[in-house]
Amino acid sequence: HIEFIPWVKQNLKSNDVLIFGSLASRFSQNFECLQNYLDSPCLKVFDVNLRAPHYTKERIKFLLFKTDLLKVNEEECEILSRWFLDLQNPSIEEICHSLARIVNIKGVVVTLGENGAFSTFSNSDSKVSGVRVEVKDTVGSGDAFLASFLSKHIDGAPIDECLKFACATGGLIASQQ
């Protein structure tokens, strides 16, 4: 149960990052709090987490249109395509390009599990292979992926380098119980 803190909003600057997800916004108090932060000048990163029954299409659409950088997994990417795009059997690349254009998102990052990750930023695509690990538990690997990606991205690293580091970190977490 997240509470709105006015001084946090007042201090969010353009070089700050606000990471939010759909799962926490299932509670009306959290969603209202999040709405208060979403007009800040910071980089807004939406980590979609479609866990039934804790989301609605309308709420996801609202959050998409407040997003600068979108992080999804392959399944979530395909769900967003069915909901919001009129494409027949689209590739991940086509979905990402269409979402970025329609929603005016700066970047889209898709985790592809053992197959690595794909991203598009300003119509410049990057795809990296996954890191082979013995998967013990995937809980937290997506969060570790995103944190690692952002740590490099904020430092200005090339997107390929950001994705490689993120895949390695996500893989490391997945290899742990």
Side-chain angles (χ1 to χ4, degrees), residues 14-168:
S14 61
N15 61 340
D16 290 326
V17 180
L18 174 66
I19 303 170
F20 58 95
S22 54
L23 197 54
S25 70
R26 72 186 181 268
F27 299 113
S28 59
Q29 176 184 335
N30 292 356
F31 185 60
E32 289 169 15
C33 174
L34 177 57
Q35 288 177 24
N36 284 309
Y37 292 121
L38 288 175
D39 62 352
S40 301
C42 60
L43 178 68
K44 290 168 274 302
V45 180
F46 182 15
D47 183 3
V48 175
N49 286 293
L50 299 181
R51 306 291 187 271
H54 304 296
Y55 62 88
T56 65
K57 181 179 174 180
E58 294 75 25
R59 187 156 292 176
I60 299 300
K61 183 176 182 180
F62 175 85
L63 294 173
L64 275 174
F65 278 91
K66 299 292 185 177
T67 298
D68 298 314
L69 191 149
L70 176 67
K71 185 260 182 192
V72 292
N73 64 33
E74 197 169 6
E75 180 182 338
E76 293 161 343
C77 190
E78 291 168 0
I79 291 170
L80 295 179
S81 174
R82 286 194 303 274
W83 283 353
F84 305 119
L85 306 174
D86 188 23
L87 301 171
Q88 299 300 316
N89 298 319
S91 66
I92 293 294
E93 293 83 356
E94 290 171 318
I95 295 170
C96 291
H97 292 159
S98 294
L99 281 173
R101 184 181 68 253
I102 292 168
V103 184
N104 196 28
I105 295 174
K106 295 175 185 174
V108 180
V109 178
V110 183
T111 57
L112 305 170
E114 66 184 18
N115 296 318
F118 169 82
S119 72
T120 186
F121 282 80
S122 304
N123 281 334
S124 179
D125 295 350
S126 298
K127 188 170 184 178
V128 299
S129 300
V131 176
R132 292 230 176 263
V133 298
E134 181 183 332
V135 176
K136 294 187 178 169
D137 190 347
T138 60
V139 172
S141 60
D143 293 331
F145 175 97
L146 181 58
S148 300
F149 178 90
L150 288 172
S151 72
K152 291 286 188 184
H153 183 64
I154 290 166
D155 285 343
I159 297 299
D160 282 354
E161 184 180 326
C162 299
L163 288 175
K164 287 177 186 174
F165 184 60
C167 285

